[in-house]
Amino acid sequence: MKLDHTANGVYAIAATPFKPDGAVDTESVDRMTDFYLSCGVTGLTILGIMGEAPKLDPAEALAISHQVVRRAKVPVIVDAGVGTASDAAIAMELGCGGVLMNTAIAEAKDPVRMAEAMKHAVIAGRFSYLAGRMPKKRYADPSSPLAGLI
């Protein structure tokens, strides 16, 4: 869901649940999301309250983001796990309302250029989400017509 200047209400900062072995507790992610929604939150901020970034690889962070976005139906802001412009674009393609970033820009070799890259990535990811992905197929299908060519 889109997040813009009209946003208001309560955006809960949600803790990422982990199992004792350090793996993400995906069942608890769903329960946590349901709990916040039952409390009437306007949106959720995920992946940032407990310093999750070093604990998660980018694929895990995006999987959690996708899990929460699919379930929440309110704007979801991703706080950690966005280290590159491609991470930001993918988060937005998943339907996140926005991304918070500091470290990826502040620690880049060229912070100004990284900030510009992040801006374009967020815009591109949002446009891609709004445009809608073509359906995935489990079979090969030529995209060019073959009729009349032989």
Side-chain angles (χ1 to χ4, degrees):
M1 299 188 87
K2 185 176 181 185
L3 181 69
D4 62 18
H5 68 282
T6 64
N8 59 39
V10 175
Y11 284 71
I13 301 172
T16 304
F18 290 94
K19 294 179 180 178
D21 67 359
V24 174
D25 186 345
T26 56
E27 291 175 9
S28 292
V29 169
D30 286 343
R31 285 194 301 273
M32 173 201 68
T33 302
D34 293 343
F35 169 76
Y36 283 120
L37 294 173
S38 73
C39 292
V41 298
T42 310
L44 292 169
T45 301
I46 60 170
L47 303 178
I49 195 170
M50 300 185 328
E52 290 91 335
K55 297 176 185 142
L56 301 170
D57 64 42
E60 285 178 307
L62 291 172
I64 294 167
S65 300
H66 192 234
Q67 181 178 354
V68 174
V69 167
R70 278 193 334 251
R71 194 169 192 93
K73 308 299 183 221
V74 297
V76 175
I77 310 302
V78 176
D79 190 2
V82 180
T84 66
S86 59
D87 293 337
I90 292 169
M92 296 303 291
E93 285 177 348
L94 293 174
C96 290
V99 293
L100 295 175
M101 59 191 73
N102 176 40
T103 309
I105 294 170
E107 294 185 6
K109 291 178 186 173
D110 184 342
V112 173
R113 186 168 290 173
M114 181 59 81
E116 188 72 13
M118 292 293 194
K119 171 187 164 186
H120 290 291
V122 167
I123 292 168
R126 183 67 185 169
F127 281 8
S128 178
Y129 172 75
L130 294 173
R133 182 190 166 89
M134 64 180 234
K136 291 183 181 182
K137 298 178 182 176
R138 295 190 178 268
Y139 56 88
D141 189 17
S143 60
S144 301
L146 298 176
L149 298 177
I150 299 176

